[in-house]
Amino acid sequence: MIIIGLLIIAIGAFCQSSCYVPINKIKQWSWESYWLVQGVFAWLVFPFLGALLAVPEGHSLCELFTADNSFRIWMTILFGALWGIGGLTFGLSMRYLGVALGQSIALGTCAGLGTILGPVMLNIFFPEGDYLSRLTASVIIGVVVTLIGIAIIGYAGAMKSRSLSEEEKKKAVADFNFPKGLAIALLAGVMSGCFNVGLEFGSGITFAESPEIYKTLPATLLVTLGGFVTNAVYCLWQNASNKTFGDYGKGSIWLNNIFFCALAGLLWYSQFFGLALGKGFLVESEVLLTFSWCILMALNVVFSNVWGIILKEWKGCSRQTIQVLVLGIAVLINSSFLPQHI
Protein backbone atom coordinates (compact mmCIF):
# COMPACT_ATOMS: atom_id res chain seq x y z
CA MET A 1 0.00 0.00 0.00
CA ILE A 2 2.83 2.40 0.89
CA ILE A 3 4.53 1.78 -2.46
CA ILE A 4 1.29 2.57 -4.30
CA GLY A 5 0.97 5.84 -2.37
CA LEU A 6 4.53 6.86 -3.18
CA LEU A 7 4.04 6.03 -6.86
CA ILE A 8 0.89 8.18 -7.02
CA ILE A 9 2.75 11.11 -5.42
CA ALA A 10 5.60 10.58 -7.90
CA ILE A 11 3.19 10.74 -10.86
CA GLY A 12 1.75 13.98 -9.52
CA ALA A 13 5.26 15.40 -9.09
CA PHE A 14 6.13 14.51 -12.68
CA CYS A 15 3.00 16.25 -13.94
CA GLN A 16 3.79 19.41 -11.93
CA SER A 17 7.33 19.53 -13.21
CA SER A 18 5.96 19.30 -16.76
CA CYS A 19 3.42 22.12 -16.40
CA TYR A 20 5.75 24.79 -17.78
CA VAL A 21 6.14 22.96 -21.08
CA PRO A 22 2.59 23.83 -22.35
CA ILE A 23 3.16 27.46 -21.32
CA ASN A 24 5.88 27.67 -23.98
CA LYS A 25 3.15 27.06 -26.58
CA ILE A 26 1.16 30.15 -25.57
CA LYS A 27 1.28 32.86 -28.24
CA GLN A 28 1.32 36.67 -28.10
CA TRP A 29 0.29 36.99 -24.45
CA SER A 30 2.29 38.76 -21.78
CA TRP A 31 3.38 36.87 -18.68
CA GLU A 32 0.68 38.39 -16.50
CA SER A 33 -2.07 37.46 -18.95
CA TYR A 34 -1.23 33.79 -19.34
CA TRP A 35 -0.35 33.45 -15.66
CA LEU A 36 -3.81 34.68 -14.67
CA VAL A 37 -5.67 32.50 -17.17
CA GLN A 38 -3.77 29.33 -16.31
CA GLY A 39 -4.38 30.22 -12.66
CA VAL A 40 -8.13 30.14 -13.22
CA PHE A 41 -7.76 26.48 -14.20
CA ALA A 42 -4.98 25.54 -11.75
CA TRP A 43 -6.35 27.29 -8.65
CA LEU A 44 -10.13 27.41 -9.21
CA VAL A 45 -11.57 25.03 -11.80
CA PHE A 46 -9.64 21.82 -11.17
CA PRO A 47 -9.42 22.21 -7.36
CA PHE A 48 -13.21 22.72 -7.30
CA LEU A 49 -13.78 19.58 -9.36
CA GLY A 50 -11.36 17.70 -7.11
CA ALA A 51 -13.14 18.89 -3.95
CA LEU A 52 -16.44 17.55 -5.30
CA LEU A 53 -14.97 14.03 -5.12
CA ALA A 54 -14.87 14.39 -1.34
CA VAL A 55 -18.61 15.08 -1.14
CA PRO A 56 -20.63 11.95 -0.25
CA GLU A 57 -23.94 11.28 -1.96
CA GLY A 58 -26.74 13.34 -0.47
CA HIS A 59 -24.43 16.15 0.67
CA SER A 60 -23.09 19.35 -0.88
CA LEU A 61 -19.71 21.06 -0.68
CA CYS A 62 -21.31 24.13 0.90
CA GLU A 63 -22.12 22.11 4.03
CA LEU A 64 -18.41 22.19 4.95
CA PHE A 65 -18.21 25.97 4.88
CA THR A 66 -20.12 26.76 8.05
CA ALA A 67 -19.65 29.09 11.01
CA ASP A 68 -18.35 26.15 13.06
CA ASN A 69 -15.39 25.87 10.68
CA SER A 70 -14.96 29.62 10.10
CA PHE A 71 -11.62 30.01 11.91
CA ARG A 72 -10.00 27.07 10.14
CA ILE A 73 -11.49 28.18 6.81
CA TRP A 74 -10.10 31.70 7.04
CA MET A 75 -6.70 30.50 8.27
CA THR A 76 -6.56 28.06 5.38
CA ILE A 77 -7.37 30.82 2.89
CA LEU A 78 -4.90 33.21 4.60
CA PHE A 79 -2.00 30.79 4.28
CA GLY A 80 -3.13 30.16 0.72
CA ALA A 81 -2.78 33.89 0.02
CA LEU A 82 0.72 33.81 1.52
CA TRP A 83 1.51 30.81 -0.63
CA GLY A 84 0.28 32.86 -3.60
CA ILE A 85 3.10 35.34 -2.98
CA GLY A 86 5.49 32.41 -3.12
CA GLY A 87 3.95 31.37 -6.42
CA LEU A 88 4.65 34.79 -7.93
CA THR A 89 8.28 34.81 -6.80
CA PHE A 90 8.56 31.16 -7.84
CA GLY A 91 8.04 32.18 -11.46
CA LEU A 92 10.69 34.88 -11.12
CA SER A 93 13.19 32.39 -9.69
CA MET A 94 12.95 30.35 -12.89
CA ARG A 95 13.32 33.51 -14.95
CA TYR A 96 16.72 34.19 -13.37
CA LEU A 97 17.90 30.62 -12.69
CA GLY A 98 16.08 28.43 -15.22
CA VAL A 99 13.61 25.59 -14.64
CA ALA A 100 16.09 23.14 -13.11
CA LEU A 101 17.97 25.35 -10.66
CA GLY A 102 15.04 27.66 -9.87
CA GLN A 103 12.68 24.83 -8.98
CA SER A 104 15.40 22.93 -7.11
CA ILE A 105 16.19 25.74 -4.67
CA ALA A 106 12.64 27.01 -4.25
CA LEU A 107 11.04 23.59 -3.89
CA GLY A 108 13.82 22.30 -1.67
CA THR A 109 13.32 25.18 0.76
CA CYS A 110 9.56 24.70 0.52
CA ALA A 111 9.95 21.00 1.33
CA GLY A 112 11.92 21.52 4.51
CA LEU A 113 10.14 24.54 5.96
CA GLY A 114 6.66 23.44 4.87
CA THR A 115 7.09 20.18 6.76
CA ILE A 116 8.04 21.97 10.00
CA LEU A 117 5.76 25.01 9.79
CA GLY A 118 2.54 22.98 9.61
CA PRO A 119 2.77 21.30 13.05
CA VAL A 120 4.37 24.41 14.62
CA MET A 121 1.57 26.77 13.55
CA LEU A 122 -1.15 24.31 14.50
CA ASN A 123 0.41 23.85 17.93
CA ILE A 124 0.39 27.62 18.49
CA PHE A 125 -3.37 27.85 17.90
CA PHE A 126 -4.39 24.41 19.17
CA PRO A 127 -1.83 23.40 21.85
CA GLU A 128 -4.19 20.74 23.16
CA GLY A 129 -3.60 18.78 19.96
CA ASP A 130 0.12 18.29 20.74
CA TYR A 131 1.00 18.70 17.06
CA LEU A 132 4.69 19.18 17.83
CA SER A 133 4.89 15.49 18.68
CA ARG A 134 4.81 14.85 14.92
CA LEU A 135 8.22 16.49 14.61
CA THR A 136 10.17 13.48 15.77
CA ALA A 137 13.95 13.29 15.65
CA SER A 138 13.75 11.31 12.41
CA VAL A 139 11.62 14.00 10.75
CA ILE A 140 13.98 16.78 11.87
CA ILE A 141 16.99 14.83 10.57
CA GLY A 142 15.21 14.43 7.25
CA VAL A 143 14.61 18.20 7.05
CA VAL A 144 18.26 18.93 7.87
CA VAL A 145 19.40 16.55 5.14
CA THR A 146 16.97 18.28 2.76
CA LEU A 147 18.58 21.65 3.50
CA ILE A 148 22.00 20.10 2.87
CA GLY A 149 20.73 18.94 -0.51
CA ILE A 150 19.56 22.49 -1.27
CA ALA A 151 22.99 23.86 -0.37
CA ILE A 152 24.69 21.37 -2.69
CA ILE A 153 22.39 22.27 -5.58
CA GLY A 154 22.96 25.96 -4.85
CA TYR A 155 26.70 25.35 -5.01
CA ALA A 156 26.24 23.65 -8.40
CA GLY A 157 24.45 26.80 -9.56
CA ALA A 158 27.35 28.95 -8.36
CA MET A 159 29.76 26.68 -10.26
CA LYS A 160 27.61 27.07 -13.35
CA SER A 161 27.64 30.84 -12.98
CA ARG A 162 31.44 30.94 -12.72
CA SER A 163 32.17 28.49 -15.53
CA LEU A 164 29.94 29.84 -18.29
CA SER A 165 30.62 32.92 -20.37
CA GLU A 166 27.97 35.64 -20.40
CA GLU A 167 26.91 34.52 -23.87
CA GLU A 168 26.52 30.90 -22.75
CA LYS A 169 24.50 31.95 -19.68
CA LYS A 170 22.09 33.97 -21.79
CA LYS A 171 21.74 31.15 -24.30
CA ALA A 172 20.70 28.67 -21.58
CA VAL A 173 18.59 31.12 -19.55
CA ALA A 174 18.03 34.53 -21.14
CA ASP A 175 17.94 36.50 -17.87
CA PHE A 176 20.33 34.31 -15.84
CA ASN A 177 21.40 36.09 -12.63
CA PHE A 178 22.51 33.73 -9.86
CA PRO A 179 22.65 36.13 -6.83
CA LYS A 180 19.26 37.70 -7.60
CA GLY A 181 17.74 34.36 -8.56
CA LEU A 182 19.00 32.67 -5.38
CA ALA A 183 17.47 35.34 -3.12
CA ILE A 184 14.13 35.18 -4.95
CA ALA A 185 14.11 31.35 -4.98
CA LEU A 186 14.70 31.21 -1.21
CA LEU A 187 11.86 33.71 -0.62
CA ALA A 188 9.63 31.68 -2.93
CA GLY A 189 10.44 28.52 -1.00
CA VAL A 190 9.64 30.05 2.39
CA MET A 191 6.31 31.49 1.23
CA SER A 192 5.40 28.39 -0.78
CA GLY A 193 5.76 26.32 2.37
CA CYS A 194 2.61 28.09 3.59
CA PHE A 195 0.63 25.80 1.27
CA ASN A 196 1.26 22.87 3.61
CA VAL A 197 0.38 25.04 6.63
CA GLY A 198 -2.93 25.83 4.93
CA LEU A 199 -3.54 22.12 4.31
CA GLU A 200 -2.89 21.43 7.99
CA PHE A 201 -5.37 24.09 9.12
CA GLY A 202 -7.94 22.77 6.66
CA SER A 203 -7.42 19.10 7.45
CA GLY A 204 -10.61 18.92 9.52
CA ILE A 205 -12.78 20.55 6.85
CA THR A 206 -14.12 17.36 5.34
CA PHE A 207 -16.92 14.82 5.62
CA ALA A 208 -16.34 11.88 7.93
CA GLU A 209 -17.82 9.61 5.25
CA SER A 210 -15.40 10.79 2.55
CA PRO A 211 -12.91 8.21 1.28
CA GLU A 212 -9.49 8.70 2.89
CA ILE A 213 -7.88 9.46 -0.46
CA TYR A 214 -10.14 12.48 -1.05
CA LYS A 215 -10.30 14.02 2.43
CA THR A 216 -7.71 16.78 1.89
CA LEU A 217 -9.21 18.01 -1.41
CA PRO A 218 -11.65 20.56 0.12
CA ALA A 219 -8.73 22.10 2.04
CA THR A 220 -6.71 22.18 -1.18
CA LEU A 221 -9.50 24.20 -2.82
CA LEU A 222 -9.44 26.77 0.01
CA VAL A 223 -5.64 27.12 -0.16
CA THR A 224 -5.62 27.61 -3.93
CA LEU A 225 -8.52 30.06 -3.62
CA GLY A 226 -6.38 32.24 -1.36
CA GLY A 227 -3.47 31.93 -3.77
CA PHE A 228 -5.65 32.85 -6.72
CA VAL A 229 -6.71 36.11 -5.06
CA THR A 230 -3.08 37.14 -4.49
CA ASN A 231 -2.03 36.25 -8.02
CA ALA A 232 -5.11 37.79 -9.66
CA VAL A 233 -4.56 41.13 -7.93
CA TYR A 234 -0.93 41.22 -9.03
CA CYS A 235 -1.64 40.10 -12.61
CA LEU A 236 -4.46 42.60 -13.12
CA TRP A 237 -2.23 45.35 -11.72
CA GLN A 238 0.47 44.31 -14.20
CA ASN A 239 -2.11 44.30 -17.01
CA ALA A 240 -2.99 47.88 -16.10
CA SER A 241 0.63 49.01 -15.67
CA ASN A 242 1.86 47.39 -18.88
CA LYS A 243 -1.32 48.12 -20.86
CA THR A 244 -1.72 44.44 -21.70
CA PHE A 245 -5.48 44.05 -21.19
CA GLY A 246 -5.61 43.86 -24.97
CA ASP A 247 -4.15 40.34 -24.75
CA TYR A 248 -7.55 38.99 -23.78
CA GLY A 249 -9.11 40.47 -26.91
CA LYS A 250 -6.88 38.64 -29.39
CA GLY A 251 -9.59 36.28 -30.62
CA SER A 252 -7.48 34.50 -33.23
CA ILE A 253 -5.24 32.91 -30.59
CA TRP A 254 -7.82 32.32 -27.85
CA LEU A 255 -8.42 28.64 -28.63
CA ASN A 256 -4.69 27.87 -28.66
CA ASN A 257 -3.91 29.82 -25.51
CA ILE A 258 -6.90 28.62 -23.50
CA PHE A 259 -6.07 25.01 -24.36
CA PHE A 260 -2.45 25.26 -23.26
CA CYS A 261 -3.35 27.31 -20.16
CA ALA A 262 -5.87 24.63 -19.19
CA LEU A 263 -3.33 21.87 -19.81
CA ALA A 264 -0.72 23.69 -17.72
CA GLY A 265 -3.28 24.19 -14.96
CA LEU A 266 -4.27 20.52 -14.99
CA LEU A 267 -0.64 19.38 -14.81
CA TRP A 268 0.06 21.80 -11.96
CA TYR A 269 -2.98 20.70 -9.93
CA SER A 270 -2.07 17.03 -10.44
CA GLN A 271 0.65 17.29 -7.79
CA PHE A 272 -1.85 18.06 -5.01
CA PHE A 273 -4.45 15.67 -6.34
CA GLY A 274 -1.73 13.02 -6.32
CA LEU A 275 -0.65 14.07 -2.82
CA ALA A 276 -4.21 13.63 -1.52
CA LEU A 277 -4.60 10.22 -3.13
CA GLY A 278 -1.11 9.13 -2.10
CA LYS A 279 -1.60 10.08 1.55
CA GLY A 280 -4.64 7.83 1.59
CA PHE A 281 -2.28 4.90 1.08
CA LEU A 282 0.24 6.08 3.70
CA VAL A 283 -2.05 5.99 6.73
CA GLU A 284 -0.12 2.99 8.09
CA SER A 285 2.97 5.18 8.56
CA GLU A 286 2.60 8.34 10.65
CA VAL A 287 6.18 9.33 9.73
CA LEU A 288 5.51 9.19 5.99
CA LEU A 289 2.23 11.06 6.44
CA THR A 290 4.09 13.87 8.20
CA PHE A 291 6.83 13.78 5.59
CA SER A 292 4.60 13.39 2.53
CA TRP A 293 4.89 17.11 1.72
CA CYS A 294 8.67 16.85 1.70
CA ILE A 295 8.49 13.77 -0.51
CA LEU A 296 6.33 15.60 -3.07
CA MET A 297 8.62 18.64 -3.19
CA ALA A 298 11.78 16.53 -3.45
CA LEU A 299 10.33 14.55 -6.36
CA ASN A 300 9.33 17.84 -8.00
CA VAL A 301 12.99 18.83 -7.80
CA VAL A 302 14.09 15.58 -9.41
CA PHE A 303 11.70 15.86 -12.33
CA SER A 304 12.32 19.60 -12.80
CA ASN A 305 16.00 18.85 -13.27
CA VAL A 306 15.14 16.17 -15.81
CA TRP A 307 13.32 18.88 -17.76
CA GLY A 308 16.26 21.22 -17.19
CA ILE A 309 18.53 18.70 -18.88
CA ILE A 310 16.05 18.17 -21.71
CA LEU A 311 15.79 21.95 -22.21
CA LYS A 312 19.63 22.13 -22.24
CA GLU A 313 19.83 24.57 -19.33
CA TRP A 314 22.98 22.83 -18.04
CA LYS A 315 24.59 22.51 -21.47
CA GLY A 316 28.18 23.74 -21.47
CA CYS A 317 28.76 23.10 -17.76
CA SER A 318 31.74 21.03 -16.67
CA ARG A 319 31.41 17.39 -15.68
CA GLN A 320 32.27 18.36 -12.11
CA THR A 321 29.33 20.82 -11.99
CA ILE A 322 26.93 18.14 -13.23
CA GLN A 323 28.32 15.69 -10.65
CA VAL A 324 27.67 18.19 -7.85
CA LEU A 325 24.14 18.77 -9.17
CA VAL A 326 23.44 15.03 -9.27
CA LEU A 327 24.83 14.66 -5.74
CA GLY A 328 22.45 17.36 -4.51
CA ILE A 329 19.50 15.64 -6.18
CA ALA A 330 20.51 12.31 -4.64
CA VAL A 331 20.70 13.90 -1.18
CA LEU A 332 17.23 15.42 -1.61
CA ILE A 333 15.75 12.08 -2.67
CA ASN A 334 17.41 10.34 0.26
CA SER A 335 16.12 12.99 2.68
CA SER A 336 12.54 12.21 1.66
CA PHE A 337 12.75 8.56 2.62
CA LEU A 338 15.35 8.75 5.38
CA PRO A 339 12.92 9.34 8.31
CA GLN A 340 11.18 6.03 7.65
CA HIS A 341 14.42 4.14 8.28
CA ILE A 342 15.75 5.97 11.36
Side-chain angles (χ1 to χ4, degrees):
M1 295 289 283
I2 288 178
I3 295 299
I4 294 175
L6 294 176
L7 284 174
I8 292 173
I9 293 175
I11 292 171
F14 175 76
C15 290
Q16 187 280 336
S17 299
S18 307
C19 73
Y20 289 93
V21 177
I23 285 178
N24 291 329
K25 301 293 185 179
I26 296 173
K27 302 176 181 178
Q28 301 175 36
W29 272 7
S30 61
W31 176 89
E32 57 267 21
S33 298
Y34 73 67
W35 191 254
L36 178 59
V37 175
Q38 70 84 30
V40 169
F41 291 100
W43 308 322
L44 294 181
V45 175
F46 292 118
F48 174 74
L49 295 176
L52 291 179
L53 294 174
V55 180
E57 187 176 354
H59 294 271
S60 71
L61 190 60
C62 293
E63 292 175 34
L64 294 176
F65 308 137
T66 64
D68 292 339
N69 289 328
S70 61
F71 178 75
R72 284 184 175 270
I73 288 172
W74 286 112
M75 291 299 288
T76 304
I77 294 174
L78 170 62
F79 279 100
L82 294 176
W83 159 76
I85 297 173
L88 289 170
T89 51
F90 186 77
L92 286 176
S93 70
M94 287 184 291
R95 173 181 176 180
Y96 294 118
L97 296 177
V99 172
L101 188 56
Q103 287 207 49
S104 296
I105 296 175
L107 293 178
T109 306
C110 178
L113 292 182
T115 300
I116 292 177
L117 283 175
V120 168
M121 293 302 297
L122 278 179
N123 205 75
I124 290 174
F125 289 95
F126 308 106
E128 68 279 3
D130 191 26
Y131 293 100
L132 288 181
S133 62
R134 297 183 189 174
L135 299 178
T136 61
S138 59
V139 171
I140 297 299
I141 291 172
V143 171
V144 170
V145 175
T146 298
L147 296 178
I148 291 173
I150 297 168
I152 294 174
I153 291 175
Y155 182 65
M159 293 173 67
K160 172 185 178 180
S161 181
R162 290 196 301 265
S163 64
L164 298 180
S165 66
E166 288 300 319
E167 183 179 350
E168 288 173 321
K169 292 176 188 176
K170 300 302 181 183
K171 186 176 180 180
V173 181
D175 297 319
F176 185 80
N177 186 318
F178 182 72
K180 181 186 292 187
L182 177 62
I184 293 174
L186 290 174
L187 174 62
V190 171
M191 300 304 289
S192 295
C194 290
F195 196 109
N196 194 45
V197 182
L199 289 180
E200 292 284 2
F201 271 100
S203 59
I205 306 174
T206 188
F207 292 99
E209 310 96 307
S210 297
E212 197 68 41
I213 58 176
Y214 298 143
K215 282 193 172 181
T216 63
L217 293 176
T220 302
L221 170 61
L222 292 175
V223 176
T224 57
L225 174 61
F228 175 78
V229 171
T230 305
N231 280 263
V233 169
Y234 179 78
C235 288
L236 292 173
W237 175 67
Q238 285 292 295
N239 279 141
S241 298
N242 300 328
K243 297 180 174 58
T244 53
F245 278 113
D247 288 346
Y248 306 116
K250 297 176 180 177
S252 60
I253 55 174
W254 252 93
L255 184 61
N256 175 86
N257 290 2
I258 290 295
F259 173 78
F260 285 112
C261 281
L263 179 57
L266 176 61
L267 290 172
W268 183 92
Y269 174 66
S270 295
Q271 65 180 313
F272 295 114
F273 187 75
L275 178 64
L277 269 60
K279 288 172 72 172
F281 290 93
L282 301 180
V283 291
E284 299 175 7
S285 173
E286 183 64 32
V287 172
L288 284 181
L289 275 177
T290 302
F291 222 67
S292 58
W293 174 262
C294 205
I295 292 173
L296 173 64
M297 293 300 111
L299 290 174
N300 281 344
V301 170
V302 172
F303 291 123
S304 67
N305 276 282
V306 170
W307 278 113
I309 293 171
I310 293 173
L311 297 174
K312 300 180 180 180
E313 292 178 356
W314 292 90
K315 185 178 181 180
C317 295
S318 67
R319 176 177 295 182
Q320 184 180 11
T321 300
I322 300 300
Q323 289 173 342
V324 173
L325 173 67
V326 172
L327 174 61
I329 294 172
V331 171
L332 277 179
I333 294 175
N334 185 59
S335 73
S336 298
F337 302 96
L338 183 64
Q340 180 71 1
H341 302 289
I342 296 178

